[in-house]
Amino acid sequence: MVDYDKIKELALESGFTHIGDLDADLIELRTEVRDMCAENKCKSYGKNWSCPPGCGTLSECEDKIRKFKKGLILQTTGELEDSFDFEAMTEINEAHGKAIADFAKKIGGIYPEAMVLGAGACTICKECTYPDEPCRFPDKMIASMEAYGIVVSDICSANNIPYYYGPNTLTYVGCVLID
Ligand code: SF4
């Protein structure tokens, strides 16, 4: 039986600011999110095994997600001076990435089958091998919620977890699927 209280403690130790229960049946994988990826505003589309199209079709991603019933939503919230505070936005994004990487190591040691999704492309290697060579660390690679077609605000509200924590705050979202 999965000890979710213990896992929540580990997640807090990794640096997340908010953690909530995730009902995997409420996860919707939407082609519209994939369409936004294809616009390549983040410049990662077609450049990383963790991003579309390298991370697989939406149907392949759905097959992976539907193996699970429960998990946790993992959030990192930070404060901005104003809506143009790009330095703080970068810092919050980096803090979330570090928390995801740290937590993925911990959870992988306890539940090797657990699946962690973060925000943005995998950054384990300085340069991703995509598409010329296979991924160097397929067991460690962390794809993003968006790559799996998930609208992060929707999955938070479906699970009764806030996504908005007030004016001049920014929240990055990840999740772990465990059982
Ligand atoms: S582990 Fe390396 S090769 Fe694999 S997706 Fe991440 S950056 Fe690319």
Side-chain angles (χ1 to χ4, degrees), residues 48-50 122-130 134-138 140-142:
N48 193 297
W49 285 111
S50 72
C122 175
T123 55
I124 289 176
C125 309
K126 202 171 171 193
E127 277 192 35
C128 187
T129 56
Y130 187 88
C135 171
R136 291 188 189 100
F137 307 107
K140 292 185 186 164
M141 174 182 71
I142 299 171

Side-chain angles (χ1 to χ4, degrees), residues 27-111:
I27 296 175
E28 282 184 56
L29 289 79
R30 295 168 57 164
T31 52
E32 305 92 285
V33 181
R34 277 294 180 91
D35 292 344
M36 282 194 286
C37 286
E39 288 176 19
N40 200 17
K41 287 186 181 154
C42 68
K43 311 272 190 260
S44 295
Y45 186 85
K47 295 209 169 65
N48 193 297
W49 285 111
S50 72
C51 291
C55 63
T57 65
L58 213 50
S59 162
E60 288 167 337
C61 291
E62 179 138 33
D63 287 346
K64 291 183 195 168
I65 294 263
R66 298 298 171 220
K67 288 179 185 157
F68 298 94
K69 286 290 172 195
K70 284 176 73 181
L72 296 173
I73 290 181
L74 310 162
Q75 296 179 332
T76 307
T77 300
E79 294 194 358
L80 310 173
E81 282 184 15
D82 54 45
S83 50
F84 299 99
D85 188 357
F86 299 113
E87 196 180 329
M89 289 176 201
T90 302
E91 284 172 8
I92 301 162
N93 186 19
E94 286 175 357
H96 187 65
K98 278 186 189 158
I100 287 278
D102 184 73
F103 177 77
K105 268 190 211 155
K106 289 177 184 161
I107 197 76
I110 310 170
Y111 299 106

